[in-house]
């Protein structure tokens, strides 16, 4: 079975630009979460979606937004990019229940110059 | 709020040595506990999990026991291999409502032949 897939794998942007990252969950999984991992740190929670509704949001500015589509895939959008947005962006999918295991994709590495 | 503290690295061991990576947590209720592993340039892979007190998660020779009384979930392996070199993350997922993963900062393990 296919795991979580993310695109693109790498991305280079300049300050002030906008970026869209995409994620396809494991078949049958209805929940998608996004995490930001800065070099040398653990992942930090950005958003969780379940059945196309936002279930939770981490401590990130409004420049970050996301949505989930009817097929459960998801997009993460970041506006007005800053140098500090350079990170590995990880998508995880799960069945959506409390305590369910989240399975991660390979990530999108974003570099902001 | 929920938090995870794990021992700082890097940890360098010789092949076949015993490994312990300490992890303690702070959470309300009964969270689920996880160990994830990240190999260079890759996303996170689930290593093992435990969902209730005294549960032991195990996989690929790694073990961790959910200790409610000490709020700990230490990772152990009896004999490490060079291929175990990676960054290990301890994480928890809350026991109700929104269930994003909260990660520790990660422990880098290097195993030398």
């Amino acid at each position: 079975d296919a795991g979580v897939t993310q695109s693109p794998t790498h991305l280079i942007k300049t300050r002030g630009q906008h970026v869209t990252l995409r994620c396809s969950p494991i078949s049958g999984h209805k929940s998608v979460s996004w995490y930001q991992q800065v070099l040398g740190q653990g992942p930090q929670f950005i958003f969780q979606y379940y059945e196309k509704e936002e279930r939770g949001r981490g401590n990130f500015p409004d420049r970050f937004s996301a949505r989930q589509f009817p097929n459960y895939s998801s997009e993460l959008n970041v506006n007005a990019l800053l140098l500090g947005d350079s990170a590995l962006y990880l998508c995880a999918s799960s069945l959506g229940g409390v305590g369910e295991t989240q399975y991660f994709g390979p990530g999108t590495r974003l570099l902001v110059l | 709020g929920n938090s995870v503290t794990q021992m700082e690295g890097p940890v360098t061991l010789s092949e076949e040595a015993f490994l312990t990576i300490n992890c303690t947590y702070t959470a309300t209720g009964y969270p689920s506990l996880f160990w994830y592993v990240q190999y260079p340039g890759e996303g996170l892979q689930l290593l093992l999990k435990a969902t209730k007190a005294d549960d032991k998660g195990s996989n690929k020779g790694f073990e961790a026991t959910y200790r409610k009384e000490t709020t700990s979930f230490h990772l152990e392996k009896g004999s490490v291999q060079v291929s175990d070199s990676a960054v290990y993350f301890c994480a928890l997922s809350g026991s109700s409502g929104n269930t994003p993963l909260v990660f520790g900062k990660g422990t880098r393990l290097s195993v030398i032949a």
Side-chain angles (χ1 to χ4, degrees):
Chain A
D1 287 342
V4 178
T5 59
Q6 293 185 243
S7 63
T9 55
H10 295 82
L11 206 50
I12 299 175
K13 293 286 188 178
T14 56
R15 281 177 296 175
Q17 285 190 311
H18 162 270
V19 68
T20 298
L21 310 181
R22 295 177 175 83
C23 171
S24 291
I26 291 171
S27 178
H29 285 189
K30 298 181 179 180
S31 178
V32 169
S33 298
W34 288 94
Y35 295 82
Q36 181 196 64
Q37 185 181 17
V38 174
L39 194 63
Q41 299 294 317
Q44 297 291 316
F45 170 68
I46 309 175
F47 284 108
Q48 183 180 25
Y49 277 78
Y50 178 72
E51 289 278 19
K52 302 181 290 294
E53 297 291 327
E54 182 181 303
R55 176 182 268 182
R57 181 184 184 123
N59 188 25
F60 280 81
D62 292 343
R63 299 185 296 108
F64 289 76
S65 64
R67 56 180 175 168
Q68 187 176 32
F69 299 99
N71 66 354
Y72 303 110
S73 66
S74 177
E75 283 183 354
L76 175 69
N77 295 282
V78 187
N79 293 323
L81 285 167
L82 303 174
L83 296 180
D85 295 331
S86 297
L88 180 67
Y89 288 85
L90 296 163
C91 173
S93 78
S94 73
L95 292 172
V98 174
E100 288 284 350
T101 299
Q102 294 190 28
Y103 296 90
F104 285 81
T108 294
R109 192 165 297 280
L110 172 65
L111 177 62
V112 182
L113 301 176
Chain B
N2 296 341
S3 66
V4 173
T5 302
Q6 62 181 103
M7 64 184 284
E8 295 192 15
V11 174
T12 302
L13 296 174
S14 297
E15 208 166 22
E16 299 184 0
F18 184 85
L19 168 71
T20 299
I21 301 177
N22 291 336
C23 171
T24 57
Y25 68 90
T26 301
T28 55
Y30 298 88
S32 295
L33 302 175
F34 305 83
W35 278 100
Y36 283 86
V37 59
Q38 188 173 37
Y39 296 101
E42 298 185 9
L44 299 176
Q45 296 179 24
L46 176 69
L47 183 59
L48 52 84
K49 66 180 281 191
T51 58
K52 60 183 188 295
D54 300 324
D55 264 3
K56 177 185 283 188
S58 61
N59 185 28
K60 299 180 181 179
F62 291 89
E63 294 182 340
T65 301
Y66 189 145
R67 300 289 187 198
K68 182 73 174 171
E69 63 275 15
T70 54
T71 61
S72 65
F73 193 55
H74 304 320
L75 183 67
E76 296 182 337
K77 186 175 186 182
S79 176
V80 294
Q81 305 300 312
V82 172
S83 57
D84 294 326
S85 297
V87 181
Y88 292 81
F89 292 95
C90 183
L92 70 81
S93 178
S95 56
S96 64
N98 182 13
T99 57
L101 286 167
V102 175
F103 287 87
K105 292 185 177 181
T107 302
R108 180 175 298 279
L109 170 67
S110 295
V111 180
I112 54 177

